[in-house]
Amino acid sequence: MKRIAYRYWPLALGLLFLCTTGIQADDLDPAPATTPPDGYQLVWSDDFSQDPDGLPDPAKWGYEEGFIRNSESQYYTKARKENARIENGQLIIEGRKESFPDLSAKNPVANYTSAALETRYKASWQYGRIEVKAQLPAGKGVWPAIWTLGTNISQVGWPRCGEIDIMELVGKEPGIIHGTLHYFTDGKHTESGSQLPVRKTDTSFHVYAAEWTPERINLFIDDKKYFSFDVKKADNNGDNPFLKPHFLILNLALGGTWGGPIDDSIFPQRMTIDYVRIYQKVPSSQ
């Protein structure tokens, strides 16, 4: 990986231990929706057919608001249709070049806006298949992501809560999808992951998925597995963030520590989500 990933705590370079597999694969063409593994059932979903005033379903989604992390340039807005809306049965997360007042008063005005939707306090899961069908933005400075955080982040902080990056793309590396896990072991932030070249991420939909069990976390694009993680590697003095519940985040970041310089000529840019589906194993009693 080419970036120091920090979601909530600024970490010194000396604390970073990078562990990637280096797995590569042939380019993938766009693929249709996949089917869940045998023995799994749908437990939560959003096909974005609900349209409460054009906004995402508030029973399922909340928002991050303000300048949140990674020295990113966008101000995340809350329940603002310009940045997050339902359109033709799909969720649109839109990054915009515009002046917007910083309600947190950290800066007098923001120059970019976007949205980060989360299921925190509304839904969380421990194990299962997390599947998102999405079409991604393109251009220098975009940084869309599909990822999870441990629900105990308020108590233990990051990276002790754990993070599963199901999909990340940075506009300066077009067509390269990154999948990464973040955790805390041996007194330091540790990350493990891989990447995969994928064609037409900005013109076609792809299915990004994680299959998570107590033993392994596997990452997929269009049913192509490109990374597999042994959960025991995240053991830390009897604790393991990947044996605990996580919530889901969908966001379009702009700039920041990994997104890099922004090309203002590309805006607006959209991350379009066709569906989100969570599957879990059918209890043996059934």
Side-chain angles (χ1 to χ4, degrees):
M1 295 300 176
K2 296 183 179 179
R3 59 117 164 77
I4 299 173
Y6 59 98
R7 293 294 187 184
Y8 284 83
W9 289 358
L11 297 176
L13 283 173
L15 295 180
L16 178 63
F17 170 74
L18 183 63
C19 175
T20 59
T21 65
I23 296 174
Q24 293 288 335
D26 294 336
D27 283 359
L28 293 174
D29 285 315
T34 57
T35 56
D38 290 340
Y40 279 68
Q41 63 184 353
L42 186 68
V43 297
W44 191 94
S45 67
D46 197 342
D47 292 325
F48 306 107
S49 56
Q50 298 289 328
D51 187 6
D53 299 322
L55 292 170
D57 188 346
K60 295 181 176 180
W61 300 100
Y63 301 83
E64 295 184 308
E65 188 174 9
F67 293 99
I68 304 298
R69 56 184 159 262
N70 295 335
S71 301
E72 295 161 5
S73 298
Q74 81 289 335
Y75 186 96
Y76 283 135
T77 66
K78 179 179 179 180
R80 182 176 185 250
K81 293 179 186 177
E82 290 87 346
N83 298 118
R85 61 186 177 275
I86 306 301
E87 194 173 281
N88 300 319
Q90 296 173 327
L91 170 64
I92 307 296
I93 299 177
E94 185 167 291
R96 299 168 63 90
K97 173 72 172 74
E98 61 180 341
S99 296
F100 191 82
D102 178 4
L103 303 180
S104 67
K106 292 181 180 178
N107 299 292
V109 68
N111 295 315
Y112 304 89
T113 62
S114 188
L117 276 65
E118 61 180 10
T119 67
R120 184 176 357 196
Y121 309 126
K122 297 176 185 290
S124 61
W125 306 274
Q126 185 174 351
Y127 316 132
R129 176 180 169 94
I130 303 169
E131 182 178 295
V132 180
K133 186 177 181 181
Q135 180 176 308
L136 306 180
K140 290 184 178 180
V142 301
W143 183 1
I146 301 166
W147 53 299
T148 76
L149 285 171
T151 58
N152 63 347
I153 186 170
S154 297
Q155 291 75 47
V156 304
W158 185 93
R160 294 178 186 272
C161 67
E163 174 180 337
I164 304 172
D165 294 326
I166 300 169
M167 184 288 300
E168 286 186 286
L169 176 143
V170 287
K172 61 187 177 183
E173 300 176 1
I176 303 297
I177 299 298
H178 299 263
T180 316
L181 275 67
H182 300 270
Y183 46 101
F184 188 87
T185 56
D186 299 324
K188 57 183 176 292
H189 165 218
T190 308
E191 63 178 56
S192 302
S194 189
Q195 62 188 42
L196 189 72
V198 182
R199 285 196 290 263
K200 303 176 182 177
T201 58
D202 60 326
T203 58
S204 299
F205 285 87
H206 293 271
V207 176
Y208 304 96
E211 289 183 8
W212 172 23
T213 72
E215 294 76 37
R216 303 204 72 81
I217 298 174
N218 296 321
L219 300 182
F220 298 83
I221 303 175
D222 297 333
D223 256 356
K224 173 72 175 182
K225 181 169 70 174
Y226 70 102
F227 180 63
S228 185
F229 178 78
D230 183 352
V231 169
K232 292 195 299 293
K233 287 185 176 180
D235 286 343
N236 183 53
N237 297 322
D239 192 32
N240 191 313
F242 303 123
L243 299 178
K244 298 178 180 181
H246 280 226
F247 63 90
L248 180 65
I249 305 171
L250 309 173
N251 72 280
L252 170 52
L254 302 170
T257 53
W258 198 25
I262 300 172
D263 178 2
D264 287 347
S265 70
I266 66 173
F267 292 101
Q269 282 292 319
R270 292 181 172 188
M271 178 181 181
T272 305
I273 296 95
D274 191 49
Y275 66 71
V276 178
R277 295 173 186 166
I278 312 296
Y279 300 90
Q280 289 185 325
K281 286 186 177 180
V282 177
S284 57
S285 61
Q286 297 184 21

